[in-house]
Amino acid sequence: MASKSKIARTRNIGIVAHIDAGKTTVSERILFYTGKSYKMGEVHDGEAVMDWMPQEQERGITITSAVTTCVWNNHEIHIIDTPGHVDFTIEVERSLRVLDGAVVVFCAVGGVEPQSETVWHQADKYGVPKIAFINKMDRIGADYFGAINIMNKRFASVPLPIHMPAGSEDNFRGIIDLIDEKYLTWNDLSQGVEFISQEIPQEFLDDAKSNREKMIETLAEYDDDVAEKYLGGTELTGAEIEKAIRKATISLKIVPVLCGAALRNKGIQPILDAVVNYLPSPEDIPPVKGINPVTKKEEVRHSSDKEPLAALAFKIMLDEGRKLAYLRVYSGQIHANGEIYNVIKKKKERIARLLLMHANKRERIEKASAGDIVAVLGLKETTTGDTLCDEKNPILLERIEFYEPVISQAIEAKTPADQEKLSLALEKLLEEDPTLRVKYEEETAQTVISGMGELHLEVIVDRLSREFKARVNVGRPRVVYRETIQKQVEAEGIFEKELGEKKHHGHVRLSLTPRKRGVGNEIIIMADENVIPSEYHDAIVEVLQEATMSGVLNSYPVTDVGIAVTGGTFREGESSTQGYKIAAATAFREGFTKAEPVMLEPIMLVDIITPAEYMGDVIGDINARRGEIQSVNPKGTTSEIRAKVPLKALFGYSTDLRSATQGRAVFTLIFSHYDKV
């Protein structure tokens, strides 16, 4: 084992799931069994190590992704525990962007819930290999194979059960490992530290044999060596099966499925074994790609200390007033007190300290190398999504895509002293949270904050008063609308004026075209260089991007519009950057007004799980809110209703749903798309 390099013994994984599937409990157990914490923190007692923010402990949910490092079986595992709540989905997105593997936790009772589906697709988008852990096998209504059937229907990769539960609900005793054909039980007295591996009891033997057969059969479809032995009737060894599973997992064809009950301390060590056995090390994933900002050509960086440095800042956090940047190092090395080049800001940054994080405790280190996830103090200019590299070998890694906010709220400081604190606090929160937007409205003298949902804004307001001591009055939440156009138009803008002694001239022709819902804006320059010289192109694109920030109807952001610069004129000595900018902005506003502008509103995908007897009332209420029912799936005594409903009609929905179902229904919201009001 010792011969493997440090990088081959590194795993960067995230623990992701739907709210309440038990992610944080799984993370806490992992820390306990790997010796990182001396007692187990429980989410329901508000003592979880990974949920260390006061807001997290009170609500019993995860809000920010916490990073920690632990060691298992001579492998170093960096874990990010991510939020399950949809309002903090960016935390999941940016974590998956820098991770090599994920453990997706499902609830054995709820099965595949809406947010776990979103997370799964986010992981697919970044090509992240996964292991699935079906938790809460001891709960009433737990159905292991039922959950796997839903996974089969909803996901592209094939779930491969490598475990089988021994009993379920109150009779859940342990798990049967189908690879090694062993029965594992945990000792309650040792808090699950000790577990016993024994022969499979007679009552489970037939099921275990047929499930093992199915497992090998599925594996044979993705691995020629397994297929050859299987068809030839040769017994496969545990090591051969593991090798095949690793290969198929890393190539995203299958997802190994395990089971257990984290709260009862059952089934955690096998997750750690599976992370080491089946999830990739930084060496196993394709090299990271980026653009060389000088040559504009694509370059790759292999996961090696010998290559030039490439790192991505994926999260900024404030820590006792100091700025902490979390970095994923893809190649090369970083040294404490060394210099590092921020290619986006085109500035050198100095590293004051390098830290290895254990949730919110830390350990100082002297250097970090390829494959590491570390926190850095001292980077003044760096923001989320920036690439840090070696100045002599610059590279620009793909940025992280951020979601646009759908809900806003006006806030104002209670006293002039609070106003000062508020401005400072918002500046710091903006650095931390790329999905938060802040705008000062001159007319109403109010500050408007926008975010991903009611809970997101509630947490921001809570943090303003608690962390930054800025007391604020809060207005009602409001919907963030968008504006777009319905027909194609041509428009032109001409600017001629003497400013000072100099004549300024600019002339731009534009074509505006409606685009498909949800694709966003596109700005292209089609005009010939003789008509508008290329040195003015960047300025024109920049001013058009600014112009799309506010439409003509109610000054909401413009979306789904194609803007093409089709022509214009150039006058030697008179045409200027200023002239072209004003001409382009005028042409845009004029064209937008002529192109039948309309307002768009955010439509949310609502997923409601309700006792069957209230189904009629819930559906009636959705229809009354201008909602559109997508599907109704009966699940035993409950029903799952999926519908698309305008966000405006959903304010206060949780209270209404509770009173209509005696508090027994639950729902989640995910932003779906914008549509005509």
Side-chain angles (χ1 to χ4, degrees):
M1 200 72 188
S3 60
K4 278 168 117 185
S5 67
K6 174 186 179 287
I7 202 163
R9 288 184 286 109
T10 301
R11 299 286 180 275
N12 289 314
I13 64 157
I15 297 185
V16 293
H18 184 86
I19 191 163
D20 271 352
K23 251 177 347 311
T24 300
T25 307
V26 171
S27 308
E28 292 298 323
R29 297 302 182 264
I30 287 176
L31 294 188
F32 183 68
Y33 296 135
T34 55
K36 276 294 153 211
S37 43
Y38 298 104
K39 74 182 225 340
M40 289 194 206
E42 298 294 5
V43 179
H44 50 82
D45 297 339
E47 282 183 357
V49 181
M50 299 293 261
D51 287 349
W52 51 272
M53 285 170 66
Q55 292 82 355
E56 295 181 310
Q57 292 173 352
E58 281 166 21
R59 291 180 173 81
I61 59 168
T62 305
I63 293 172
T64 67
S65 27
V67 180
T68 193
T69 307
C70 60
V71 175
W72 182 256
N73 209 340
N74 199 18
H75 284 64
E76 188 173 284
I77 305 176
H78 301 154
I79 299 177
I80 300 186
D81 172 34
T82 62
H85 202 287
V86 62
D87 285 18
F88 310 105
T89 190
I90 185 61
E91 286 284 341
V92 183
E93 182 91 11
R94 60 176 166 190
S95 302
L96 286 170
R97 168 75 172 78
V98 298
L99 292 169
D100 306 332
V103 177
V104 189
V105 182
F106 293 97
C107 165
V109 186
V112 178
E113 293 166 294
Q115 186 61 13
S116 44
E117 217 170 310
T118 308
V119 171
W120 191 282
H121 296 314
Q122 281 175 313
D124 282 347
K125 174 168 128 190
Y126 291 117
V128 177
K130 299 170 280 294
I131 291 173
F133 176 67
I134 297 183
N135 190 19
K136 306 195 179 181
M137 282 307 306
D138 56 331
R139 292 273 295 276
I140 291 177
D143 182 355
Y144 178 65
F145 289 105
I148 291 171
N149 284 339
I150 308 175
M151 288 164 77
N152 246 325
K153 287 188 191 124
R154 298 217 180 145
F155 302 137
S157 25
V158 174
L160 182 81
I162 59 171
H163 278 176
M164 177 187 121
S168 74
E169 302 186 350
D170 293 346
N171 300 324
F172 177 63
R173 307 210 292 273
I175 58 180
I176 289 161
D177 176 345
L178 298 173
I179 298 174
D180 293 327
E181 299 185 270
K182 287 287 180 218
Y183 169 50
L184 307 177
T185 52
W186 277 262
N187 177 346
D188 290 339
L189 297 174
S190 69
Q191 286 189 293
V193 172
E194 294 162 20
F195 61 101
I196 304 154
S197 166
Q198 49 200 342
E199 293 305 311
I200 300 173
Q202 201 58 46
E203 58 183 295
F204 299 120
L205 210 49
D206 293 346
D207 275 356
K209 285 222 179 308
S210 77
N211 281 315
R212 187 173 198 265
E213 187 83 359
K214 275 186 207 148
M215 170 184 80
I216 294 173
E217 208 172 286
T218 308
L219 210 47
E221 289 173 32
Y222 302 104
D223 192 291
D224 296 342
D225 298 348
V226 173
E228 201 176 308
K229 289 200 165 178
Y230 175 63
L231 296 170
T234 316
E235 262 301 304
L236 283 136
T237 65
E240 287 170 325
I241 295 174
E242 280 181 4
K243 188 178 154 201
I245 292 177
R246 179 178 183 82
K247 210 169 95 186
T249 304
I250 292 175
S251 59
L252 305 174
K253 294 191 176 84
I254 66 156
V255 176
V257 186
L258 298 82
C259 65
L263 198 61
R264 302 272 166 277
N265 311 322
K266 292 176 169 46
I268 300 296
Q269 293 92 338
I271 299 179
L272 287 160
D273 290 338
V275 164
V276 166
N277 293 340
Y278 309 128
L279 290 181
S281 77
E283 283 183 335
D284 298 317
I285 54 167
V288 67
K289 292 183 178 136
I291 302 291
N292 180 323
V294 184
T295 64
K296 301 279 186 272
K297 289 199 168 66
E298 186 173 82
E299 288 185 8
V300 296
R301 292 282 187 272
H302 292 273
S303 198
S304 152
D305 297 359
K306 309 279 184 293
E307 296 242 334
L309 173 70
L312 185 81
F314 66 95
K315 180 176 165 74
I316 302 292
M317 218 171 91
L318 290 167
D319 182 72
E320 293 165 8
R322 290 176 312 172
K323 182 168 156 183
L324 201 57
Y326 283 98
L327 307 187
R328 162 72 200 260
V329 185
Y330 285 102
S331 60
Q333 290 190 331
I334 305 178
H335 296 274
N337 301 318
E339 277 197 337
I340 193 168
Y341 181 63
N342 184 328
V343 65
I344 296 211
K345 306 286 191 293
K346 300 189 173 68
K347 288 209 165 95
K348 277 186 183 166
E349 294 257 53
R350 186 154 199 91
I351 292 172
R353 273 185 196 177
L354 266 183
L355 304 164
L356 200 55
M357 302 301 286
H358 304 298
N360 62 338
K361 297 185 183 66
R362 62 207 48 185
E363 174 191 334
R364 281 182 75 163
I365 50 174
E366 285 311 305
K367 68 163 193 183
S369 41
D372 285 344
I373 292 181
V374 289
V376 178
L377 279 168
L379 305 183
K380 292 191 175 64
E381 306 284 336
T382 301
T383 53
T384 302
D386 286 2
T387 302
L388 298 155
C389 59
D390 171 14
E391 198 176 2
K392 295 189 190 68
N393 298 288
I395 189 167
L396 183 57
L397 303 175
E398 183 194 352
R399 302 219 50 177
I400 301 173
E401 289 175 30
F402 297 130
Y403 297 93
E404 289 302 312
V406 292
I407 184 169
S408 64
Q409 198 167 27
I411 55 172
E412 53 189 21
K414 287 191 172 177
T415 66
D418 286 320
Q419 182 57 49
E420 232 170 79
K421 289 180 191 159
L422 180 64
S423 313
L424 266 172
L426 287 173
E427 205 174 292
K428 289 182 171 170
L429 288 172
L430 277 170
E431 269 194 40
E432 240 183 64
D433 184 349
T435 54
L436 177 67
R437 302 273 191 282
V438 176
K439 191 171 147 193
Y440 183 72
E441 290 195 348
E442 297 287 339
E443 298 158 25
T444 56
Q446 282 178 321
T447 301
V448 175
I449 55 173
S450 311
M452 301 300 296
E454 287 186 82
L455 181 67
H456 185 193
L457 296 184
E458 195 184 301
V459 169
I460 293 289
V461 170
D462 191 26
R463 289 185 64 189
L464 285 174
S465 67
R466 199 181 299 209
E467 264 170 68
F468 300 99
K469 308 286 181 274
R471 294 170 310 146
V472 292
N473 295 323
V474 181
R476 284 192 53 196
R478 296 183 302 195
V479 174
V480 178
Y481 293 97
R482 292 275 184 276
E483 299 184 18
T484 192
I485 56 172
Q486 298 181 87
K487 70 171 192 183
Q488 188 183 358
V489 296
E490 309 293 318
E492 76 178 324
I494 298 172
F495 178 77
E496 288 186 79
K497 209 167 192 180
E498 265 187 46
L499 299 170
E501 299 293 291
K502 193 177 177 323
K503 269 189 175 170
H504 284 270
H505 168 263
H507 176 208
V508 175
R509 275 201 198 92
L510 298 182
S511 163
L512 304 186
T513 318
R515 299 183 76 204
K516 214 173 99 202
R517 278 294 155 271
V519 291
N521 299 323
E522 182 184 46
I523 302 173
I524 48 172
I525 297 205
M526 292 161 70
D528 202 291
E529 295 220 351
N530 319 328
V531 181
I532 301 178
S534 60
E535 71 246 39
Y536 300 114
H537 289 188
D538 284 355
I540 291 174
V541 169
E542 193 182 310
V543 83
L544 287 171
Q545 278 171 341
E546 269 170 35
T548 61
M549 294 299 178
S550 69
V552 297
L553 295 173
N554 287 303
S555 303
Y556 282 110
V558 169
T559 189
D560 304 338
V561 176
I563 308 169
V565 180
T566 51
T569 48
F570 173 67
R571 286 191 200 159
E572 191 67 58
E574 289 184 14
S575 288
S576 68
T577 305
Q578 198 56 31
Y580 278 121
K581 274 181 145 180
I582 295 171
T586 314
F588 175 76
R589 292 201 74 76
E590 193 181 295
F592 198 82
T593 313
K594 288 192 305 194
E596 295 178 11
V598 284
M599 298 274 286
L600 299 176
E601 65 177 343
I603 307 293
M604 310 301 277
L605 183 63
V606 189
D607 203 300
I608 307 152
I609 292 173
T610 172
E613 64 260 36
Y614 301 112
M615 201 170 78
D617 297 350
V618 172
I619 290 176
D621 182 49
I622 290 288
N623 291 333
R625 293 174 194 267
R626 298 186 287 139
E628 208 177 283
I629 303 288
Q630 303 290 308
S631 67
V632 178
N633 309 314
K635 290 183 169 180
T637 56
T638 62
S639 288
E640 178 188 36
I641 301 165
R642 299 186 113 178
K644 287 188 173 165
V645 188
L647 176 64
K648 189 170 172 45
L650 286 168
F651 285 146
Y653 182 57
S654 54
T655 320
D656 297 348
L657 181 68
R658 271 202 296 271
S659 56
T661 61
Q662 297 183 356
R664 287 166 61 198
V666 289
F667 78 103
T668 46
L669 289 182
I670 298 175
F671 169 69
S672 167
H673 64 287
Y674 271 93
D675 218 335
K676 272 197 234 175
V677 174

